[in-house]
Amino acid sequence: MLKLDSSQLRKTYKLEDVCGVSRMEAKHRKAIIGQDRAVKALKFGLGNRAPGFNVYVSAPHGEEKIEVIRHFLKGLAEKDPLPSDWCYVNNFKDNYCPIALKLPQGRAFEFKTDMESFIGEAREALVKALESEEFGREQDEIKQELARSQQEIFNEIQEEANKINFLIKSSPMEIVAMPMVGDQPMSTEQFKALSKEERDEIQTKQAGFQKILESTIRKSRDLEKAAREKLIALERKAALFAMEGLLAELLAKYESIPRMKAYMEDMKTNILDNLPSFLKNNQASKTQNTTLTPSTIEQLYQVNVLVDNKELQHSPIIVELNPTFNNLFGKIERESVMGTLVTDFTLIRPGALHHANGGYLIMPVEDLLRVPFSYDQLKRSLRNRCIDIEDPTERYGFISAKSLKPEPVPLDVQVILIGRNYLMRLLYMYDDDFRDLFKVKAEFDSVMPALDSNVKELCGFVHAFCEEETLLPPSDSSLVKMVEYGHRLANHQNKISTQLEDLSDLIREANYYAVEAGEQFISEDHIQLAIQEKTYRSNLIQEKIEELIEANTIFVDLKGEKIGQINGLSVLDVGDYAFGRPTRITASTSVGNKGIVDIEREVKMGGPIHSKGVMILTGYLFEKFGRDKPLNVSAHIVFEQNYSGVEGDSASSAELYAILSSLAEVPLKQNIAVTGSVNQKGEIQAVGGINEKIEGYFEVCQRAGLETGQGVLIPKANTKNLMLKEAVIEAVRDEVFHIWAVDTIEEGLEILSGIPAGNVKWNEESRSLEIDRDSVYHRANKRLLDMSKIIKEFGKVENGEEIKV
């Protein structure tokens, strides 16, 4: 048993503990403080780019760590090689599958610009070459040669026709041989006026000559075809000569890039095959799929820069807060043209994975899991080490418009998922892929040891935060208050909270009050005011409950002594605020065999942990008093005026005190509230919310008027968790409020009852218990013996038979 003095109720600091933290020592506001375990895990996981060594960052408030991780990655990213650029170009052999080209950092837009210049210069060179006199002369020679050859053939056939008195007549529809009369073609009337023999003779000659004529026509067409081929060959030769220098210059600049030579060869062939359209920039070839190709021939040779990293000074660090399928993996856009959705390789857009390629991608895992398809596709990309840009509806078999199938982009990225620990446990248990792909866990603790180095770093954080957000500078006294507030958030005298976002909010609010008061520094008073105002905004429910206690609507006795009644302490959490409140716990005992009856459990208002705590009390009573007799007792315990349920075992010691008080008929002091769980051996165990519970009871006592002797009984194991408000510490210092720390039920009973609990020993010779007389246990045991005798005297009758106990 230990009665605590004011020095044990709070971890305090002196000015010299925080003085001397200059701005040069101050760390960046997003630096990782006091997280050696997490830092080692991050360095290992992010420094190991082997497949599967992606990182899951587990943190109590994971979203707050995104900027911290981003800042941490900058140090690693500066040592990484700079990432490459990526672009898509047309696949002239299969426009359904655009080609992905990898270029050195910063050269994608240079390549795009060079291609645009090449196309413009090539068109000018081609126009000049094809309009030159030499080309025109060679073209005219081919045409003249064709005309001469055709004229010779025509003259020869005309001579043959003259021999049989026929005339060659041509029309747009046909070429025919017609009989002559003199030097004029024979009319239909003249032909009909001839005798049948003459008509037959003419028709026979005409049929025979028509065959010769058709053969001549075929020869003429062959000559035209040959001439066209010569003209095309002449054009290709002239075009190739005109742009060969430009193409060689372009290729020389990019010949080290894989697949560039093959692409330029295909481009050259395509230009030569589409010279008329290329020269006029007409619409793309009608033989191509118009829903998958650019609208003009010039767009076929454009470069779609997917990722341009020319501005990067280190490997990319990308944070994707909205990890939808398109945002992560890119998309293929479509345009509406005359009511038809069309697309082409220039409408391929990148995703976060493309931008993070060669670097790091940070995502909140909860948002990732909420979005359909994204998580599965991410696993597929990491497993296959490539990024596929596709419509998700196609992969899952839904109906979709015809689209492109771009070449996958090779993937080299470290993915960092940030979320709460329970999400990692679920993924690890139910998703085998997660185990293979996220092999490194970096777990952030919510607290850090209160080492001098950590205290200095925390003060440095405050300096850096104030400077980066252009707040007033903190005074040394305010730093002391901030460090102590960090202890309060951690609920531990030897640990400090690492939830820097909570500390940041407090600094911002304190700065507001300092500016409002016209001060030049953030002082201790401003920090204290910020804490008070933050509490005031959230403690309305607490005040209402305390008013009800003060008005005696909720029964809580703060003085006197009563049998079977005690003030337990509980914590109510209303979301942004938690507070403690006293609750009357009563116990009644009688002869019976029901054991300990938890009324909360009976009406299904008690949670499983609370029910477990009550059942432990049965074990304690049986071990303490049940070795020499049956325990024929029925004990009912209840949280009075509780209408919302009970969970937790922190009141189990108070319940046991009430039961023992009722059994022994020993009154308990009502000015002392109790918290602490108990095991079957009677040891008092630590509980949560110890500061809130003490302060809650203190405030209730304060409203009613503090009286000497009031206080709280807590587990001794909780003394290291005390970080109480100054008002409580002052009351303890003035000895108007007390805090006792106990290890066992016996110690607590002595404080609450004012008489010894008593020692219980087992006498092997007499096979009975030996208990100190005039103790609580002696009286309780005597009552239990009396109950056992009553049961034996009265017994029970069932079906006419007496049941012996």
Side-chain angles (χ1 to χ4, degrees):
M1 178 176 60
L2 176 66
K3 186 176 181 181
L4 304 180
D5 60 42
S6 59
S7 64
Q8 297 171 290
L9 305 183
R10 184 183 185 90
K11 172 74 171 181
T12 58
Y13 287 85
K14 300 177 181 178
L15 288 179
E16 53 264 30
D17 295 328
V18 300
C19 288
V21 180
S22 66
R23 184 63 190 89
M24 295 302 293
E25 295 172 307
K27 288 204 170 185
H28 191 278
R29 56 175 289 193
K30 299 182 181 66
I32 299 177
I33 300 175
Q35 300 285 357
D36 293 341
R37 185 192 307 272
V39 169
K40 287 182 180 179
L42 286 170
K43 285 183 177 179
F44 166 71
L46 300 175
N48 187 349
R49 302 192 77 90
F53 281 84
N54 299 291
V55 180
Y56 187 101
V57 174
S58 172
H61 301 285
E63 296 76 9
E64 298 176 1
K65 300 300 179 187
I66 289 178
E67 289 302 317
V68 173
I69 298 300
R70 192 214 295 259
H71 176 72
F72 175 81
L73 285 174
K74 285 183 179 179
L76 299 178
E78 290 172 354
K79 302 174 185 177
D80 294 338
L82 293 174
S84 302
D85 291 352
W86 285 93
C87 61
Y88 273 109
V89 294
N90 187 36
N91 186 342
F92 298 103
K93 295 178 180 177
D94 183 4
N95 55 27
Y96 179 68
C97 300
I99 297 170
L101 291 180
K102 178 181 179 181
L103 293 91
Q105 187 214 16
R107 299 199 65 187
F109 264 107
E110 182 183 356
F111 178 55
K112 176 183 175 68
T113 303
D114 288 345
M115 282 295 297
E116 291 172 352
S117 300
F118 167 76
I119 295 301
E121 293 172 2
R123 180 178 289 110
E124 291 178 4
L126 289 174
V127 169
K128 185 181 294 184
L130 298 181
E131 290 179 354
S132 64
E133 292 183 5
E134 183 180 353
F135 177 79
R137 184 169 56 254
E138 292 185 23
Q139 195 176 45
D140 289 342
E141 289 177 359
I142 295 173
K143 292 177 180 179
Q144 291 170 5
E145 178 65 26
L146 172 63
R148 285 194 299 270
S149 299
Q150 287 181 328
Q151 187 61 46
E152 289 176 0
I153 294 174
F154 185 78
N155 291 340
E156 289 176 3
I157 195 66
Q158 185 62 53
E159 289 177 4
E160 293 295 328
N162 291 338
K163 291 178 182 178
I164 56 175
N165 200 25
F166 270 72
L167 175 67
I168 304 301
K169 186 176 181 181
S170 64
S171 70
M173 302 297 295
E174 59 181 350
I175 299 177
V176 295
M178 300 182 65
M180 298 280 292
V181 176
D183 57 353
Q184 295 295 324
M186 183 182 291
S187 66
T188 304
E189 291 76 12
Q190 291 173 327
F191 180 76
K192 290 180 178 180
L194 297 174
S195 64
K196 183 177 183 305
E197 291 78 8
E198 289 175 329
R199 291 198 301 273
D200 290 343
E201 183 181 358
I202 290 173
Q203 288 176 341
T204 301
K205 289 181 180 181
Q206 188 178 34
F209 189 77
Q210 190 68 31
K211 292 181 181 180
I212 297 172
L213 187 59
E214 290 174 358
S215 175
T216 303
I217 292 171
R218 283 195 295 273
K219 290 180 181 179
S220 177
R221 288 174 178 169
D222 290 342
L223 290 173
E224 290 177 355
K225 181 180 179 181
R228 282 197 303 272
E229 290 175 352
K230 288 181 180 180
L231 288 172
I232 291 173
L234 179 63
E235 281 185 348
R236 290 176 71 92
K237 181 180 178 182
L240 184 60
F241 179 78
M243 67 178 183
E244 194 168 22
L246 296 172
L247 194 61
E249 182 182 347
L250 185 64
L251 183 58
K253 188 173 181 179
Y254 296 99
E255 63 181 351
S256 61
I257 296 172
R259 308 175 66 191
M260 186 63 75
K261 183 175 182 180
Y263 166 70
M264 290 191 177
E265 285 294 328
D266 291 341
M267 178 185 66
K268 178 182 71 176
T269 301
N270 186 270
I271 292 174
L272 295 176
D273 290 343
N274 297 276
L275 270 177
S277 299
F278 179 78
L279 292 173
K280 298 178 182 179
N281 194 23
N282 290 338
Q283 290 187 348
S285 172
K286 299 300 181 184
T287 61
Q288 295 177 329
N289 188 334
T290 56
T291 63
L292 300 179
T293 53
S295 57
T296 63
I297 195 73
E298 187 174 282
Q299 287 180 280
L300 289 173
Y301 314 109
Q302 286 186 353
V303 175
N304 178 11
V305 177
L306 194 70
V307 180
D308 173 38
N309 291 317
K310 66 180 178 182
E311 301 296 333
L312 287 182
Q313 303 298 319
H314 51 70
S315 60
I317 303 170
I318 304 298
V319 176
E320 183 52 69
L321 299 178
N322 183 26
T324 62
F325 190 93
N326 289 340
N327 286 352
L328 274 181
F329 310 103
K331 60 183 177 180
I332 303 170
E333 294 179 343
R334 293 179 175 84
E335 295 177 342
S336 179
V337 178
M338 300 181 66
T340 302
L341 290 177
V342 299
T343 189
D344 59 72
F345 74 95
T346 64
L347 297 177
I348 300 173
R349 300 293 178 253
L353 274 177
H354 295 93
H355 291 296
N357 206 0
Y360 309 91
L361 175 62
I362 306 171
M363 287 182 291
V365 67
E366 193 167 341
D367 293 332
L368 175 67
L369 296 175
R370 281 198 186 107
V371 179
F373 313 131
S374 291
Y375 178 59
D376 286 339
Q377 185 70 359
L378 175 65
K379 292 190 297 181
R380 190 175 293 109
S381 298
L382 293 176
R383 189 169 50 246
N384 298 335
R385 300 184 70 79
C386 65
I387 313 169
D388 286 306
I389 302 179
E390 59 184 348
D391 191 329
T393 57
E394 289 185 351
R395 178 175 289 278
Y396 292 93
F398 301 134
I399 298 174
S400 64
K402 188 173 182 181
S403 185
L404 301 172
K405 182 67 175 176
E407 282 186 353
V409 174
L411 179 63
D412 177 23
V413 70
Q414 291 286 98
V415 176
I416 301 99
L417 297 182
I418 300 180
R420 298 176 186 265
N421 195 46
Y422 81 94
L423 288 174
M424 179 178 181
R425 290 198 304 268
L426 290 174
L427 290 169
Y428 197 85
M429 284 174 19
Y430 296 111
D431 185 2
D432 292 337
D433 291 334
F434 180 82
R435 303 181 193 183
D436 296 333
L437 296 173
F438 291 88
K439 297 179 179 180
V440 180
K441 176 183 179 182
E443 188 165 10
F444 279 75
D445 198 351
S446 59
V447 295
M448 62 182 175
L451 305 175
D452 290 343
S453 58
N454 287 340
V455 171
K456 294 289 186 182
E457 286 187 354
L458 182 62
C459 294
F461 162 81
V462 175
H463 276 292
F465 179 83
C466 291
E467 182 168 313
E468 290 175 26
E469 292 215 352
T470 62
L471 307 180
L472 294 177
S475 66
D476 288 341
S477 62
S478 70
L479 291 177
V480 169
K481 204 69 178 176
M482 284 296 301
V483 174
E484 291 177 357
Y485 184 70
H487 279 281
R488 176 56 189 257
L489 290 177
N491 282 310
H492 206 291
Q493 294 182 2
N494 301 322
K495 296 183 184 296
I496 303 174
S497 173
T498 58
Q499 304 306 305
L500 300 182
E501 190 62 32
D502 293 334
L503 296 174
S504 301
D505 290 340
L506 184 67
I507 298 170
R508 293 186 183 103
E509 187 167 348
N511 178 77
Y512 168 80
Y513 297 125
V515 172
E516 194 176 55
E519 300 290 345
Q520 299 298 315
F521 295 90
I522 298 174
S523 70
E524 176 185 3
D525 294 338
H526 300 133
I527 298 293
Q528 185 61 43
L529 179 60
I531 295 172
Q532 292 173 354
E533 290 298 314
K534 185 177 185 295
T535 300
Y536 177 74
R537 291 193 296 269
S538 303
N539 71 344
L540 178 61
I541 295 176
Q542 181 184 11
E543 287 195 0
K544 294 295 183 183
I545 291 175
E546 291 176 358
E547 287 175 3
L548 292 173
I549 294 173
E550 187 179 16
N552 207 32
T553 303
I554 295 177
F555 294 158
V556 175
D557 290 332
L558 301 177
K559 54 187 174 182
E561 297 181 347
K562 288 192 177 180
I563 294 173
Q565 178 176 307
I566 196 168
N567 290 328
L569 294 173
S570 60
V571 174
L572 274 67
D573 192 332
V574 293
D576 63 331
Y577 181 68
F579 62 93
R581 56 156 294 188
T583 301
R584 176 182 287 181
I585 299 173
T586 60
S588 62
T589 54
S590 63
V591 177
N593 58 3
K594 291 183 179 180
I596 298 178
V597 178
D598 177 12
I599 294 177
E600 258 76 28
R601 182 180 63 185
E602 295 297 317
V603 296
K604 298 181 180 178
M605 290 179 66
I609 299 176
H610 177 258
S611 298
K612 174 188 175 184
V614 173
M615 295 179 74
I616 286 173
L617 305 186
T618 303
Y620 173 82
L621 291 176
F622 271 75
E623 176 164 325
K624 186 67 71 174
F625 302 108
R627 299 184 69 178
D628 60 349
K629 59 186 170 298
L631 298 186
N632 301 113
V633 62
S634 291
H636 293 73
I637 55 174
V638 67
F639 280 68
E640 302 289 359
Q641 293 181 290
N642 170 52
Y643 310 107
S644 59
V646 178
E647 178 59 314
D649 64 351
S650 66
S652 59
S653 65
E655 292 169 326
L656 182 54
Y657 291 136
I659 292 172
L660 291 171
S661 170
S662 178
L663 279 173
E665 297 181 338
V666 172
L668 301 177
K669 297 175 183 177
Q670 299 301 296
N671 59 354
I672 299 176
V674 177
T675 186
S677 69
V678 64
N679 60 27
Q680 291 189 119
K681 302 300 181 181
E683 297 169 322
I684 305 299
Q685 301 168 144
V687 294
I690 193 69
N691 293 299
E692 290 80 3
K693 290 174 179 177
I694 295 173
E695 292 168 354
Y697 184 65
F698 172 79
E699 290 177 14
V700 169
C701 293
Q702 194 176 42
R703 289 179 74 105
L706 280 172
E707 296 184 8
T708 302
Q710 291 176 330
V712 178
L713 200 66
I714 67 170
K716 194 173 183 179
N718 275 125
T719 55
K720 61 182 176 295
N721 302 114
L722 295 177
M723 284 298 297
L724 295 169
K725 294 179 180 178
E726 192 61 37
V728 180
I729 296 174
E730 289 180 6
V732 172
R733 186 182 299 121
D734 296 338
E735 297 188 351
V736 294
F737 193 78
H738 309 279
I739 299 174
W740 294 272
V742 296
D743 280 323
T744 63
I745 285 292
E746 289 78 11
E747 292 177 0
L749 272 175
E750 186 172 343
I751 295 170
L752 291 166
S753 66
I755 61 176
N759 293 316
V760 180
K761 296 180 181 180
W762 175 248
N763 190 318
E764 282 289 344
E765 292 182 2
S766 63
R767 305 294 295 175
S768 63
L769 296 174
E770 293 182 355
I771 306 176
D772 296 341
R773 296 186 65 82
D774 298 326
S775 66
V776 176
Y777 285 159
H778 183 268
R779 297 181 186 185
N781 188 61
K782 184 176 181 301
R783 177 89 185 280
L784 290 170
L785 284 171
D786 293 341
M787 290 179 177
S788 181
K789 290 176 183 179
I790 292 172
I791 286 291
K792 287 182 179 180
E793 290 176 4
F794 286 91
K796 293 183 180 178
V797 178
E798 252 182 39
N799 298 325
E801 294 184 6
E802 183 178 359
I803 297 178
K804 302 289 185 179
V805 182

